[in-house]
Amino acid sequence: MSRAVGMMTTTLGAYMTFKMWAEFQDALGIVFGGSWAVIIATITFLIYQSNKNDLAYESSMGEINGSPNLTKKAMEAENPQPLMFIAGAYVFILVIFELLLSLV
């Protein structure tokens, strides 16, 4: 079940990221023009991704020991995740997000 939740979370994150960058590039296009918007959005994305990768690398250094995974699996076994509730919450987020974007 944790794989399903992980896949839903990844899909929601990718969707929101693509929508965010599209809106960001549209806003920049209005202010700076199309070509400058692409350049600024690309540079901003590269800086964001570099910082994200640095944080992920630093946090993974603490997970070399295998014991944290055992604790996590034990906790997941004791407290199963409510898959339908999480799926419903993600669909609700998508609907609200699309409604807000259509109003702008």
Side-chain angles (χ1 to χ4, degrees), residues 3-104:
R3 283 186 183 216
V5 172
M7 289 298 293
M8 287 190 300
T9 303
T10 300
T11 304
L12 178 67
Y15 170 78
M16 296 293 273
T17 300
F18 289 134
K19 289 296 252 185
M20 176 192 67
W21 285 111
E23 292 293 320
F24 180 63
Q25 190 169 350
D26 288 344
L28 285 175
I30 292 170
V31 176
F32 296 109
S35 55
W36 276 105
V38 170
I39 293 169
I40 293 170
T42 302
I43 290 171
T44 304
F45 177 74
L46 290 174
I47 292 170
Y48 167 77
Q49 194 64 35
S50 175
N51 290 342
K52 186 177 172 182
N53 288 342
D54 289 345
L55 290 174
Y57 176 74
E58 289 173 3
S59 68
S60 70
M61 294 304 287
E63 296 178 2
I64 294 173
N65 189 357
S67 61
N69 287 338
L70 296 175
T71 306
K72 180 181 174 186
K73 288 182 182 180
M75 288 177 62
E76 286 178 354
E78 291 175 8
N79 303 313
Q81 298 172 340
L83 186 62
M84 293 307 292
F85 175 76
I86 294 171
Y90 286 177
V91 168
F92 179 73
I93 290 169
L94 289 174
V95 169
I96 294 298
F97 187 72
E98 285 297 325
L99 287 175
L100 290 175
L101 282 180
S102 67
L103 294 177
V104 175

